[in-house]
Amino acid sequence: MNTSRTDAAVRARRQATQEMLERLQTALAATARDHTPVTVAALARTARVSRTFLYQNQQARAMIEQANRASRAHPGVSSSGSRTQPAWKERALNAEDALAQAQREIRTQRTHIAELLGKIRDLEHDLPEGSLQRLVTENTTLKQHVRQLTQDNQQLQERLTGARQNNRFMDKRIADLEARLAPYLTTPPPRP
């Protein structure tokens, strides 16, 4: 049984590795098509694999090295400086997009907070003077009442459990007495 589980786990791991290698191959083809530099971080992001996988898997390393050799021999990419420029452009564009998204989210949250504060002010404005203190007092009283009811409920549950146990004990006792009396009830009384 353990052997079959182990074999199944090994097969699943190999399948997952093969899928990651296929995604890596697709990502490498995209970088070659777009003439972008081959970096481990970009490949890991594009292929949805970890950097550790790219460094530790021999097939993945070989694929990356082969892509690096092919990109050096490719006439469209001339020097290492021009290869790093698109990476910096990509990072800058990604940073600008992330900043714009963060600013939009902050604006949305500020608007929502302002609306909620307005609602709170409206509610406070509508309350007559002294009603806030009255509401706090009523809330405290209700909380104490809920606590008391919870304790009472717990005590009643304990009593009910005890009564059920007593009832079961009495049922067993009655059944035992009936069993003892059964022979006397079924046989006729002796004649004098």
Side-chain angles (χ1 to χ4, degrees):
M1 177 128 179
N2 285 340
T3 307
S4 64
R5 282 186 178 174
T6 304
D7 292 341
V10 168
R11 281 193 304 274
R13 182 68 182 154
R14 285 183 183 155
Q15 178 66 28
T17 302
Q18 187 60 38
E19 289 172 2
M20 287 190 278
L21 288 172
E22 289 171 4
R23 289 195 308 262
L24 176 62
Q25 184 65 39
T26 304
L28 286 170
T31 58
R33 182 184 62 239
D34 298 338
H35 303 293
T36 57
V38 178
T39 62
V40 173
L43 285 174
R45 215 175 22 252
T46 306
R48 297 183 324 271
V49 296
S50 68
R51 292 181 188 184
T52 306
F53 172 77
L54 296 178
Y55 287 120
Q56 291 181 349
N57 187 286
Q58 292 177 354
Q59 289 176 319
R61 277 197 323 243
M63 291 167 68
I64 293 170
E65 289 173 11
Q66 183 180 5
N68 277 331
R69 280 192 298 266
S71 69
R72 282 188 214 121
H74 194 275
V77 180
S78 59
S79 67
S80 64
S82 64
R83 259 189 253 135
T84 57
Q85 185 181 6
W88 283 106
K89 280 184 179 179
E90 182 182 335
R91 288 182 189 161
L93 290 173
N94 288 343
E96 287 176 4
D97 289 342
L99 179 62
Q101 182 180 357
Q103 288 173 344
R104 282 192 303 271
E105 186 176 332
I106 288 171
R107 267 195 306 275
T108 303
Q109 289 179 356
R110 283 183 179 168
T111 304
H112 188 62
I113 289 170
E115 289 172 0
L116 292 175
L117 286 173
K119 288 179 182 179
I120 290 173
R121 273 190 231 114
D122 290 345
L123 290 174
E124 288 176 348
H125 181 70
D126 292 343
L127 290 175
E129 221 171 291
S131 62
L132 182 62
Q133 182 61 35
R134 183 179 51 82
L135 289 174
V136 170
T137 305
E138 286 179 11
N139 189 26
T140 305
T141 305
L142 288 173
K143 284 181 181 178
Q144 290 173 349
H145 190 62
V146 166
R147 264 185 259 139
Q148 182 63 39
L149 289 174
T150 304
Q151 289 175 354
D152 292 346
N153 187 23
Q154 185 177 2
Q155 288 174 352
L156 289 173
Q157 287 291 339
E158 290 171 359
R159 286 182 183 175
L160 180 61
T161 303
R164 286 179 177 159
Q165 288 175 351
N166 285 341
N167 191 22
R168 279 193 295 270
F169 175 75
M170 290 299 180
D171 283 345
K172 288 179 185 177
R173 180 84 173 145
I174 289 171
D176 184 42
L177 290 174
E178 286 175 349
R180 286 185 184 176
L181 290 175
Y184 298 111
L185 296 175
T186 56
T187 58
R191 293 191 174 199

